Amino acid sequence: MGRLFGTDGVRGVANADLTAELALGLSVAAAHVLGDAGAFEGHRPVAVVGRDPRASGEFLEAAVIAGLASSGVDVLRVGVLPTPAVAYLTGALGADLGVMLSASHNPMPDNGIKFLARGGHKLADEIEDAIEELYHSHAADDSWQRPVGAAVGRVRSYDEGFDQYIAHLVAVLPNRLDGLKVVIDGAHGAAARISPEAFARAGAEVVHTLGAEPNGLNINDGVGSTHIEKLRTAVLDHGADLGVAHDGDADRCLAVDAGGNEIDGDQILAVLAVGMREAGRLRKNTVVGTVMSNLGFKLAMEREGIELVQTAVGDRYILESMREHGYSLGGEQSGHVILLDHATTGDGTLTGLMLAARIAATKQPLADLAAVMSRLPQVLVNVKGVDRGRVNTSEELAAAVAAAESELGTTGRVLLRPSGTEPLVRVMVEAAEAEQAQAVAERLADAVRTHLG
């Protein structure tokens, strides 16, 4: 697998790349690294472990729990819950460590392990590096000191987490959602039960659900935030005010307005930024995006007098900037939205609720609220089967990019980046006209294949 930790934990094909042995070994290493760093000093350590509904999550959960308990860590097994729920519970319960088993929007055969530090925050890069180094050390020499007797970790189910998390979501809303009709697509994932229940408790009428019957094999299969078409149809068929789509671990939210138009993460950010500024909750009058944010979003924020800070792609980098500088709102076009006053990670259910709350408070349709920004045509091409490590060193590719940028001038832009979670290179092109964006993107994709193949 090369380096184990990517931008969002450790991912791979379950039982091929991501094996039970690897899950157990990483959990042991995580317990030791955090213990050596003083995270467990003076008390018996506790971890919260959750997962999405993937079939492989069952044996990987068992392996993670075994690794933690064998290292002297008590485990609270919260079962199938969203990633942000595990993060919230890690903080709310005062746990020393959180572990989430999910591969987010990836197809069912994949899975992943994400470790969370005390408070529910993602681990720092240097801690992940130390875990990986110790894992390899243990693999070479399995003679580490093992607790025995009463020192081994104890394991118990924590079923209260479901209601505790929903109560938190409803409590932080600025207003109720009474009168709103909502369709929710849970991607047959971790939000399948949570999101409809949260919206209903907040006062909305959930007129229809999609992707709400996870069986361990159907996660993200034709549903969810990467397959918005069925949600669009359902919103129109049921006359809903809003459609909400999550990914497999429910840290994302995309939306559909009453007319069936997709509202992406940039538009959601724009709506929430304006609302939070009006309410005095947009700290430092700043929103954090990424280099992939649509140029239309940047122009909208300039027009609204809101500062925009852009980071590398990945919600971890958005979060780092937010925590370092004290910002309250950030997110990605893909639907990762971080509301740092209420969550330590992207939270798809919370994002959907906050968007619905804005509709209810203003009594404006989502289409009107989202009109605060105009999306420039943007084309994204994923190029597989190439050496993504040479994206920034190929002179031939740099020349192709320079030619494309010269053609687009000030009315568009080009971005090439290796994926942090998949073996491919992403080619993104924005232009004033969709046809030009498509043509330039296809030309650059061919250049990537030629020079990095």
Side-chain angles (χ1 to χ4, degrees):
M1 293 179 66
R3 186 179 187 275
L4 294 176
F5 283 94
T7 58
D8 205 22
V10 178
R11 287 191 190 175
V13 177
N15 219 29
D17 304 314
L18 182 54
T19 63
E21 294 87 350
L22 176 58
L24 189 150
L26 284 174
S27 300
V28 169
H32 285 207
V33 167
L34 291 173
D36 291 343
F40 306 157
E41 191 170 347
H43 64 278
R44 188 177 174 97
V46 176
V48 172
V49 177
R51 64 181 180 88
D52 72 20
R54 294 167 206 264
S56 60
E58 297 168 2
F59 77 78
L60 290 172
E61 175 192 61
V64 166
I65 291 173
L68 293 173
S70 72
S71 302
V73 179
D74 291 336
V75 177
L76 298 176
R77 183 198 293 117
V78 298
V80 175
L81 285 180
T83 291
V86 174
Y88 168 73
L89 291 170
T90 299
L93 298 175
D96 303 282
L97 173 66
V99 187
M100 180 66 187
L101 294 157
S102 176
S104 187
H105 61 286
N106 286 22
M108 184 277 294
D110 290 355
N111 215 323
I113 303 176
K114 185 185 301 185
F115 293 101
L116 301 168
R118 175 177 282 275
H121 296 283
K122 291 188 176 183
L123 292 180
D125 289 347
E126 56 268 24
I127 297 295
E128 289 186 341
D129 290 342
I131 291 171
E132 185 166 338
E133 182 179 352
L134 187 59
Y135 165 77
H136 290 301
S137 175
H138 283 173
D141 180 8
D142 192 28
S143 61
W144 54 275
Q145 188 67 39
R146 303 169 189 267
V148 296
V152 301
R154 304 298 298 274
V155 182
R156 71 179 179 91
S157 295
Y158 189 78
D159 299 329
E160 304 95 314
F162 181 89
D163 285 319
Q164 191 172 346
Y165 174 59
I166 292 179
H168 159 68
L169 294 176
V170 175
V172 302
L173 288 181
N175 52 271
R176 287 184 56 79
L177 311 182
D178 301 276
L180 283 187
K181 295 183 177 180
V182 181
V183 175
I184 298 173
D185 184 345
H188 295 309
R193 289 179 58 224
I194 284 277
S195 192
E197 182 68 18
F199 271 86
R201 292 192 195 180
E205 180 185 356
V206 181
V207 295
H208 188 65
T209 58
L210 302 166
E213 299 177 351
N215 61 16
L217 306 177
N218 59 0
I219 190 169
N220 300 321
D221 187 7
V223 289
S225 59
T226 53
H227 302 278
I228 210 81
E229 303 81 13
K230 292 180 182 178
L231 179 63
R232 179 182 293 115
T233 299
V235 166
L236 295 173
D237 287 348
H238 293 272
D241 301 296
L242 168 68
V244 171
H246 301 296
D247 60 339
D249 69 335
D251 63 355
R252 295 190 192 191
C253 170
L254 295 181
V256 170
D257 68 22
N261 303 297
E262 179 180 344
I263 307 298
D264 70 12
D266 286 340
Q267 292 169 293
I268 292 171
L269 270 181
V271 172
L272 295 183
V274 171
M276 290 173 65
R277 181 195 60 189
E278 291 179 0
R281 298 197 309 272
L282 188 65
R283 292 205 298 272
K284 299 188 178 181
N285 194 44
T286 298
V287 61
V288 182
T290 76
V291 293
M292 286 286 284
S293 297
N294 192 279
L295 184 57
F297 175 64
K298 180 179 180 180
L299 297 174
M301 293 299 95
E302 289 177 356
R303 188 174 61 251
E304 291 292 326
I306 295 173
E307 297 293 327
L308 172 63
V309 172
Q310 291 181 286
T311 72
V313 175
D315 59 337
R316 71 180 301 134
Y317 303 113
I318 295 170
L319 184 58
E320 286 174 3
S321 176
M322 293 176 70
R323 292 182 67 188
E324 180 180 354
H325 300 287
Y327 304 134
S328 54
L329 178 66
E332 296 183 288
Q333 189 181 83
S334 60
H336 284 118
V337 174
I338 302 172
L339 293 141
L340 198 54
D341 288 339
H342 311 301
T344 60
T345 185
D347 190 327
T349 304
L350 176 62
T351 300
L353 288 167
M354 287 293 188
L355 187 62
R358 180 66 176 162
I359 297 170
T362 61
K363 301 189 186 306
Q364 294 184 56
L366 179 55
D368 289 355
L369 293 172
V372 68
M373 71 163 279
S374 297
R375 277 188 300 190
L376 288 183
Q378 186 181 79
V379 174
L380 179 64
V381 180
N382 292 326
V383 185
K384 301 180 180 179
V386 295
D387 182 0
R388 60 179 176 172
R390 294 195 294 118
V391 168
N392 298 319
T393 59
S394 169
E395 295 182 0
E396 297 87 352
L397 190 57
V401 170
E405 291 175 335
S406 177
E407 176 184 337
L408 294 170
T410 60
T411 62
R413 67 187 181 114
V414 171
L415 180 66
L416 268 64
R417 53 174 288 267
S419 170
T421 58
E422 300 174 79
L424 51 84
V425 171
R426 303 191 194 280
V427 177
M428 188 277 285
V429 176
E430 287 176 341
E433 301 295 333
E435 294 79 5
Q436 184 184 28
Q438 186 69 47
V440 173
E442 290 177 357
R443 192 160 65 245
L444 283 175
D446 287 340
V448 170
R449 295 184 188 98
T450 298
H451 302 301
L452 302 186

